[in-house]
Amino acid sequence: MTAAVPNRKQIVLPVNGMTCASCVMHVEHAFQEVPGVIQVSVNLATEKATVEINPAQFELQEAIETVDDAGYNIPTRMRKAHFIGLTEESAKLFEQEIANNHGVRGVDVDLVAETVTIDLIPGLITSDDIRQVVVSTGLTLESIDEDDQRDSDEEMDRLSKTEEMRYFRNRFVVAGPLAVLLFLAGMRDMLFPFLPSWVANHYLLFALAVPVQFWAGWFFYRAGIGPLRHGTINMHTLVALGTSVAFFYSTAVVIFPEFVQGYGFGTQVFYDTAAIIISLILLGRFLEARARGQSSEAIRKLIGLQPSTARVIRDNADITIPVEQVSIGDLVLVRPGERIPTDGEVVGGASAVDESMLTGESLPVEKGIGSMVYGATINANGALQVRASKVGKDTVLAQIIRLVEEAQGSKAPIQHLADQVAAYFVPAVIGVAGMAFLVWLVVGPDPAFTWAMLTAVAVLIIACPCALGLATPTAIMVGTGKGAEMGVLIKDAKALELAEKLRIVVLDKTGTVTVGNPVVTDVVPIAGVTEERVLQLAASLEQNSTHPLAGAIVSAAKDRRLDLEQCDILENVPGKGLRGQVQGLSLLLGNMRLMEETQVDLRGLAEQTEILAQLGKTVVCLVADGQGLGVIAVADTIKPDAVIAVEMLHEMGIRVAMLTGDNRHTAKAVADQLGIDTVFAEVLPQDKSAYIKELQSKGEIVAMVGDGINDAPALVQADIGMAIGTGTDIAMESADLVLMQGDVRGIVKAITLSKRTLRTIKQNLFWAFFYNVTLIPIAAGILYPLFVNDGVPVVLQPFLGEYGFLNPVLAALAMALSSVSVVTNSLRLKVAKLI
């Protein structure tokens, strides 16, 4: 278990050069050698490392050098800031402050030009972060070479694998035709006797093979042999080793034919084998890169939604500025059809706004003065004036992108099995290839060396740790992206795995299954007291409370145009009510539990109170100087989709419970309307997590759904915490999944998506393991004893030759397609129907 670290911090670093599951292990081990690193998780699909650090001990430069020494790379970028009146003292202060950010690698100050050049990690620190440091140090900034858009564009290219696809495509375009020529020449005697004899000249074949081996195939040497300097090996080590054996043996036959013949080796060359292997794997890498690019489509769409400019009012002028320069408090103008640049409050105009990119809901939302709008949503039909309240990385869209990236970078527990296998996979394959070579060198058919060599090459080439490494992260990437498009934000891959075992969902009531805007439905006074007097006193007591019931009572009083009185000595009784003094009266307003504890006589109201409670209404009692004055009934409307959601959960075999602070009568009435199985009522906020813990103690995997601050402990305690996105930030931060809509059917979407994603992961892992476990023994020659006497049937000879040895070319094809098939299977999640 990791020791507690007081100032633990998480950073996410891009890592270039990873190609397979073995690379993931190597990079993780490299980070673990860096002082200050507490924990690290590396994701092959996103090519990022999520690193938990102790800021007091961690040095970014040391991490970069350690990862670079392991054969990989953390990319950096230069950004220049121009100042006015920069002095040596102010520059030193700025340098000290900016260096505290763990995204900064180094700072270079030019006092003559009044510029500071910052060497930074793209995405880890932005121009907005630099400006905040400028403000904190009291300097005057003239400008920054704005590269945030460039960072965004490059991140889009990286996610779409544009450069990677271009690299492998260009090399395949050269290697493919040359491999075909080598194949035609190599098979001339058997299949193409009409070709002239000179096409099979060994020197010509050598000349054709060199560019394939050492230009098109140089990637495999660079990516595979480089790590050998650090005592590690990966998938490309296998490819480089396998093709090199075929190439250099053939070269020995060409240059030293007499020597080779003298030792009884075969004189056949295998340039075509090496070239076709390289070509097929390059093709496979191209197809894999394209498929992986498609798996990141959702996050690329989100990044692409961010507007680049904004129109603001400054100094009474309407100007257009980069969106990075919008400050909190700026008045932003948004014309019809434009994307809203940043989060804010509408202070002028009215319109309908398309918020589907946030919630997945296609219907536009009406906005007027006082409404909140969010960056990247589309203003449909009216001009709006928006006062910016959140900018940059604090906007809802930026937070969604961050949550999706964190989820895509997280690891599901099931992935640990693949990681453990990958750690030993490549060395084990090399060992199998070596054993196969020795065995067939001794007992193989003539020429034994040739068959032993081809068998070893087939084993090296057919093994595919890539499929193992991509099985989990690609499914998580597509699944979390699909969720984001549907308004379901999955914050941690662990929740995906637990969802399959989920047997009970616990729902908060107010704001979750109900609208959350209760209204006063009944005011029942005792004899001699008017409804207006009861409502006036209650509203005076509640006017400074933030509780939803307080809002309903105050609104009802204002609707009747009642004047509210000054309230003194206000005391909150958690989960029960309020105490205070109004006009010299000592007032008590609360639920029946509070009345029972204070022994208030409510006999004149008991019957009416019971009737109201049985109707599902929340009843609060008003007491003045120990004497009951009346009761107020408040009702909250049940969300129309809640009944449907509960029915769907039951159809999935999941029980549904409700956890609420309301009295038992109200809670039961709501539960009966919804068809909920179990009700926990009159639960104090601090006790909610205890009820979740009690269910877990019975062996239940529990999901908790809530939207309020008082739900946060229960959301954390639950195996899967789901926050309604219309709720509080604290609830959403505490949850494992966030439902951006207030629609309770989002619970069904989340569970369905989680189960389908996990099912895809299991399918991927099964086929990755099955592929390797089945085909590696075949490549090693395990079928030879079956065919040694009768020979291989004609129909199988194209695959197994005369004796049952797998053709290395087919091994390369199978290896190339294995990774593509895993990624393609994950992509099916993009079209999955969640409800």
Side-chain angles (χ1 to χ4, degrees):
M1 181 177 292
T2 305
V5 179
N7 297 318
R8 173 181 291 201
K9 181 179 179 181
Q10 183 182 93
I11 60 174
V12 180
L13 299 170
V15 180
N16 292 339
M18 295 189 296
T19 55
C20 69
S22 299
C23 297
V24 170
M25 303 298 294
H26 302 156
V27 174
E28 287 183 347
H29 291 155
F31 271 111
Q32 288 164 357
E33 295 174 3
V34 179
V37 171
I38 302 166
Q39 188 173 321
V40 60
S41 176
V42 176
N43 189 292
L44 176 61
T46 60
E47 297 181 62
K48 289 185 177 181
T50 302
V51 189
E52 296 276 353
I53 64 170
N54 181 347
Q57 300 176 354
F58 179 80
E59 292 290 340
L60 179 62
Q61 181 61 31
E62 188 169 357
I64 291 174
E65 292 173 355
T66 302
V67 172
D68 185 68
D69 190 54
Y72 305 92
N73 170 252
I74 297 176
T76 61
R77 163 126 356 107
M78 296 292 185
R79 185 157 301 174
K80 187 173 290 186
H82 304 267
F83 292 87
I84 297 174
L86 188 67
T87 65
E88 185 174 351
E89 292 76 14
S90 60
K92 186 175 182 180
L93 176 61
F94 177 81
E95 185 175 352
Q96 289 173 344
E97 290 297 319
I98 199 71
N100 290 331
N101 191 300
H102 285 288
V104 174
R105 182 180 183 183
V107 180
D108 183 45
V109 177
D110 185 343
L111 290 175
V112 176
E114 293 187 299
T115 62
V116 176
T117 303
I118 307 165
D119 188 6
L120 50 82
I121 305 292
L124 212 57
I125 180 172
T126 65
S127 296
D128 188 49
D129 297 320
I130 297 173
R131 286 192 182 87
Q132 290 181 15
V133 175
V134 172
V135 171
S136 68
T137 53
L139 295 172
T140 302
L141 180 69
E142 182 179 19
S143 65
I144 297 178
D145 293 344
E146 295 291 350
D147 278 347
D148 287 349
Q149 186 60 43
R150 180 182 167 195
D151 289 346
S152 179
D153 292 342
E154 291 195 358
E155 178 69 359
M156 295 272 280
D157 285 343
R158 189 188 68 81
L159 289 170
S160 62
K161 305 297 179 185
T162 303
E163 187 60 35
E164 192 173 333
M165 285 191 289
R166 185 183 300 116
Y167 180 91
F168 289 117
R169 181 199 63 199
N170 292 346
R171 275 148 184 78
F172 174 73
V173 166
V174 173
L178 291 176
V180 171
L181 292 176
L182 286 166
F183 172 76
L184 294 174
M187 302 298 290
R188 172 186 173 275
D189 293 341
M190 185 180 303
L191 300 176
F192 310 107
F194 53 85
L195 294 175
S197 59
W198 59 265
V199 300
N201 181 276
H202 284 182
Y203 289 100
L204 175 61
L205 300 183
F206 171 78
L208 293 174
V210 166
V212 178
Q213 189 72 30
F214 298 109
W215 181 76
W218 183 248
F219 167 80
F220 302 108
Y221 286 103
R222 176 171 54 82
I225 305 303
L228 289 176
R229 301 195 310 270
H230 310 282
T232 60
I233 47 182
N234 59 25
M235 181 205 99
H236 296 104
T237 308
L238 302 179
V239 177
L241 186 58
T243 57
S244 294
V245 168
F247 178 87
F248 287 112
Y249 174 78
S250 301
T251 302
V253 171
V254 173
I255 299 175
F256 308 109
E258 296 177 358
F259 176 82
V260 173
Q261 287 180 328
Y263 279 87
F265 298 146
T267 57
Q268 182 181 357
V269 295
F270 298 98
Y271 288 126
D272 57 337
T273 299
I276 293 173
I277 287 172
I278 289 174
S279 299
L280 286 173
I281 297 177
L282 287 172
L283 176 61
R285 288 305 306 268
F286 168 76
L287 295 174
E288 177 191 327
R290 188 171 69 173
R292 288 170 64 187
Q294 292 174 345
S295 71
S296 65
E297 182 180 5
I299 190 72
R300 285 189 286 117
K301 282 183 178 178
L302 289 173
I303 294 173
L305 289 173
Q306 301 174 103
S308 58
T309 60
R311 290 195 312 131
V312 300
I313 300 293
R314 287 187 180 172
D315 299 325
N316 296 320
D318 176 350
I319 62 173
T320 300
I321 61 174
V323 73
E324 295 87 4
Q325 295 181 14
V326 177
S327 301
I328 293 175
D330 276 343
L331 184 61
V332 182
L333 305 180
V334 189
R335 289 175 292 199
E338 291 183 338
R339 288 194 182 275
I340 297 171
T342 188
D343 295 3
E345 180 182 351
V346 176
V347 295
S351 182
V353 176
D354 179 359
E355 296 183 343
S356 58
M357 47 74 63
L358 290 179
T359 65
E361 176 57 55
S362 58
L363 293 177
V365 181
E366 295 296 327
K367 301 289 183 180
I369 294 176
S371 300
M372 288 299 300
V373 292
Y374 305 99
T377 57
I378 301 173
N379 180 28
N381 51 27
L384 293 176
Q385 294 181 5
V386 178
R387 185 73 66 187
S389 61
K390 290 184 179 180
V391 298
K393 61 186 178 184
D394 295 324
T395 63
V396 170
L397 176 63
Q399 292 180 54
I400 289 174
I401 292 172
R402 175 179 60 81
L403 290 176
V404 174
E405 286 179 333
E406 288 177 358
Q408 292 181 342
S410 64
K411 288 186 178 182
I414 196 172
Q415 188 172 347
H416 294 308
L417 173 62
D419 289 345
Q420 290 172 358
V421 172
Y424 302 101
F425 185 84
V426 176
V429 169
I430 292 177
V432 171
M435 290 178 59
F437 177 81
L438 293 176
V439 168
W440 300 120
L441 185 63
V442 175
V443 301
D446 291 330
F449 181 87
T450 300
W451 288 112
M453 179 192 70
L454 291 177
T455 301
V457 170
V459 171
L460 293 171
I461 297 301
I462 203 166
C464 189
C466 277
L468 286 173
L470 292 170
T472 300
T474 53
I476 290 173
M477 279 190 74
V478 181
T480 52
K482 173 73 172 180
E485 291 178 354
M486 301 296 292
V488 177
L489 298 183
I490 300 170
K491 294 169 60 178
D492 193 327
K494 182 180 179 182
L496 295 172
E497 190 161 337
L498 287 172
E500 187 180 50
K501 304 172 185 176
L502 192 61
R503 292 295 175 266
I504 183 168
V505 171
V506 180
L507 304 173
D508 172 51
K509 183 178 80 69
T510 305
T512 300
V513 297
T514 63
V515 175
N517 294 317
V519 295
V520 173
T521 59
D522 303 88
V523 180
V524 183
I526 63 170
V529 180
T530 64
E531 291 185 16
E532 285 74 13
R533 182 58 173 165
V534 172
L535 195 56
Q536 181 190 39
L537 290 174
S540 298
L541 189 60
E542 293 274 25
Q543 61 185 309
N544 295 318
S545 173
T546 58
H547 194 282
L549 295 184
I553 292 172
V554 172
S555 294
K558 289 182 177 179
D559 289 342
R560 298 193 188 193
R561 298 184 179 181
L562 301 176
D563 294 328
L564 303 188
E565 304 292 342
Q566 178 68 34
C567 177
D568 301 315
I569 318 176
L570 187 67
E571 177 190 355
N572 180 37
V573 184
K576 298 174 185 176
L578 292 173
R579 299 177 189 270
Q581 288 199 352
V582 176
Q583 292 183 334
L585 296 174
S586 179
L587 298 181
L588 182 65
L589 181 69
N591 57 26
M592 292 302 296
R593 289 177 62 186
L594 183 59
M595 299 301 110
E596 292 169 0
E597 290 178 5
T598 53
Q599 298 180 343
V600 174
D601 184 6
L602 293 174
R603 284 176 294 179
L605 299 168
E607 182 179 351
Q608 189 65 30
T609 300
E610 184 73 18
I611 293 171
L612 292 171
Q614 289 178 353
L615 293 173
K617 299 178 180 181
T618 299
V619 180
V620 291
C621 305
L622 178 66
V623 176
D625 296 331
Q627 176 66 42
L629 293 186
V631 296
I632 300 173
V634 179
D636 191 2
T637 307
I638 293 175
K639 292 180 180 179
D641 53 82
V643 176
I644 301 172
V646 172
E647 289 177 354
M648 288 179 170
L649 290 170
H650 284 154
E651 289 172 2
M652 298 170 73
I654 297 174
R655 303 197 317 279
V656 183
M658 188 169 71
L659 186 62
T660 178
D662 275 351
N663 66 71
R664 298 184 186 280
H665 291 300
T666 302
K668 187 176 186 306
V670 172
D672 288 344
Q673 294 179 62
L674 292 172
I676 288 175
D677 307 298
T678 308
V679 178
F680 304 106
E682 301 179 7
V683 180
L684 297 177
Q686 63 268 27
D687 294 335
K688 285 189 174 184
S689 61
Y691 280 83
I692 301 297
K693 190 179 295 185
E694 182 181 348
L695 290 171
Q696 291 171 324
S697 68
K698 299 175 182 178
E700 302 276 14
I701 301 297
V702 183
M704 171 69 195
V705 186
D707 73 324
I709 292 174
N710 58 5
D711 296 321
L715 292 172
V716 173
Q717 177 62 45
D719 298 287
I720 304 175
M722 299 185 190
I724 298 292
T726 51
T728 65
D729 290 342
I730 293 177
M732 289 189 281
E733 286 296 324
S734 304
D736 301 301
L737 292 92
V738 178
L739 310 176
M740 295 302 294
Q741 299 179 41
D743 191 332
V744 189
R745 287 174 297 181
I747 302 168
V748 180
K749 288 183 184 179
I751 295 173
T752 303
L753 177 62
S754 298
K755 289 188 173 185
R756 292 194 177 184
T757 304
L758 184 64
R759 184 169 64 192
T760 301
I761 290 172
K762 289 181 176 180
Q763 291 170 349
N764 288 348
L765 287 173
F766 171 81
W767 287 112
F769 278 113
F770 179 81
Y771 162 87
N772 284 296
V773 169
T774 303
L775 295 186
I776 288 177
I778 293 175
I782 196 172
L783 298 180
Y784 174 75
L786 297 178
F787 304 117
V788 66
N789 294 322
D790 301 326
V792 176
V794 175
V795 70
L796 295 178
Q797 286 188 8
F799 306 98
L800 301 175
E802 292 182 68
Y803 302 105
F805 294 109
L806 186 67
N807 188 325
V809 170
L810 293 175
L813 179 62
M815 190 271 260
L817 293 178
S818 64
S819 297
V820 177
S821 64
V822 163
V823 179
T824 303
N825 187 50
S826 298
L827 289 174
R828 293 191 306 120
L829 285 168
K830 292 173 65 175
V831 296
K833 187 176 180 181
L834 302 185
I835 291 185

